[in-house]
């Protein structure tokens, strides 16, 4: 792998790792699957990551066509994506994102409390929007649209795939992992990821504005 491809892989891998935030979603996944047996938890982990994979890869491949159909330039998409990711980063730094995830989990548990069997949470809320959320979908579209050749596209798809595989492994080990990390460590990691994402989003916004106005 050349230096340019390695740099692209590193940047895209870190970006998707921060956006998907599997360590932050793991406590929610553990809570939603607590009523089920180990087989049920493994099944939900596999199905939710499979659903997220289909969604993210679909937008990664169809994003360029969608942008062309809507007459959206790559610079406009880059600037808009930077602004969106910055808002997500602020939520992560101030833990608003975590609060919304926990609230969504509580609502889901409350509405299915009387169910005799554990509910299927693989599509909603785990598959979407917790794994394949607006930020990760938009970023997949941006990276693929910005790629110049199939080597770069392959590197981007590899970074997405490895992140989703990592998410699956974290979900499978969600129970012990959450107990080991504790709420304070998970919260601190989410804040650190938020700061990294904020820096990436500002750079995207600057690049988009410069490209749009040919600065």
């Amino acid at each position: 792998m050349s230096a340019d491809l390695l740099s692209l892989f590193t940047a895209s891998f870190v970006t998707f790792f921060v956006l998907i935030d599997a360590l932050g979603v793991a406590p929610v996944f553990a809570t939603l699957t607590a009523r089920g047996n180990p087989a049920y938890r493994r099944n939900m982990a596999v199905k939710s990551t499979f659903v997220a994979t289909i969604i993210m890869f679909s937008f990664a491949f169809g994003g360029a066509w969608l942008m062309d159909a809507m007459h959206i330039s790559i610079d406009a998409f880059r600037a808009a994506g930077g602004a969106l990711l910055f808002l997500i980063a602020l939520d992560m730094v101030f833990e608003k994102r975590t609060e919304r995830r926990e609230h969504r989990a509580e609502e889901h548990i409350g509405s299915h409390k009387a169910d005799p069997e554990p509910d299927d949470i693989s599509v909603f809320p785990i598959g979407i929007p917790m794994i394949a959320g607006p930020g990760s979908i938009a970023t997949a579209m941006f990276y693929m649209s910005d790629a110049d050749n199939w080597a770069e596209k392959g590197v981007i798809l590899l970074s997405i795939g490895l992140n989703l595989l990592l998410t699956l492994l974290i979900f499978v080990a969600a129970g012990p992992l959450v107990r080991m990390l504790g709420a304070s460590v998970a919260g601190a990691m989410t804040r650190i990821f938020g700061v990294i994402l904020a820096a990436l989003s500002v750079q995207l916004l600057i690049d988009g504005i410069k490209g749009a106005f040919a600065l």
Side-chain angles (χ1 to χ4, degrees):
M1 186 181 292
S2 67
D4 289 341
L5 290 179
L6 183 59
S7 177
L8 176 61
F9 172 77
T10 302
S12 58
F13 182 87
V14 171
T15 302
F16 286 112
F17 182 79
V18 171
L19 282 172
I20 294 173
D21 189 19
L23 292 174
V25 180
V28 178
F29 178 83
T31 301
L32 290 174
T33 57
R35 293 174 57 227
N37 55 34
Y40 164 77
R41 290 193 290 271
R42 285 193 299 272
N43 187 37
M44 289 300 100
V46 171
K47 286 182 66 176
S48 60
T49 51
F50 178 74
V51 167
T53 299
I54 295 297
I55 293 169
M56 290 187 64
F57 274 63
S58 296
F59 277 97
F61 281 107
W65 172 84
L66 183 63
M67 288 172 61
D68 286 340
M70 298 181 70
H71 305 289
I72 300 172
S73 71
I74 186 62
D75 289 313
F77 189 77
R78 186 184 285 113
L84 173 63
L85 296 183
F86 186 75
L87 293 176
I88 294 174
L90 287 180
D91 279 355
M92 292 176 72
V93 171
F94 295 104
E95 289 203 320
K96 297 298 181 182
R97 197 184 192 196
T98 303
E99 290 176 8
R100 281 200 298 271
R101 282 171 174 166
E102 291 174 349
H103 178 67
R104 191 178 290 124
E106 289 171 0
E107 283 187 340
H108 188 88
I109 291 172
S111 62
H112 296 84
K113 190 179 295 184
D115 291 354
E117 297 292 333
D119 199 44
D120 189 329
I121 48 92
S122 60
V123 178
F124 178 86
I126 298 297
I128 47 174
M130 290 192 183
I131 302 176
S136 55
I137 290 172
T139 303
M141 291 172 60
F142 158 68
Y143 270 118
M144 289 293 284
S145 299
D146 207 31
D148 294 326
N149 50 61
W150 276 105
E152 292 184 354
K153 291 180 179 181
V155 165
I156 294 162
L157 294 174
L158 177 62
S159 69
I160 296 173
L162 288 178
N163 268 290
L164 290 168
L165 177 60
L166 183 61
T167 300
L168 171 61
L169 297 176
I170 290 173
F171 281 4
V172 169
L177 186 65
V178 169
R179 288 192 295 271
M180 180 180 70
L181 290 177
S184 58
V185 175
M189 293 183 69
T190 297
R191 283 191 168 94
I192 293 170
F193 292 159
V195 173
I196 295 172
L197 183 60
L200 290 169
S201 65
V202 169
Q203 187 61 57
L204 280 176
L205 186 58
I206 292 172
D207 291 344
I209 294 173
K210 288 172 65 177
F213 293 97
L215 300 177

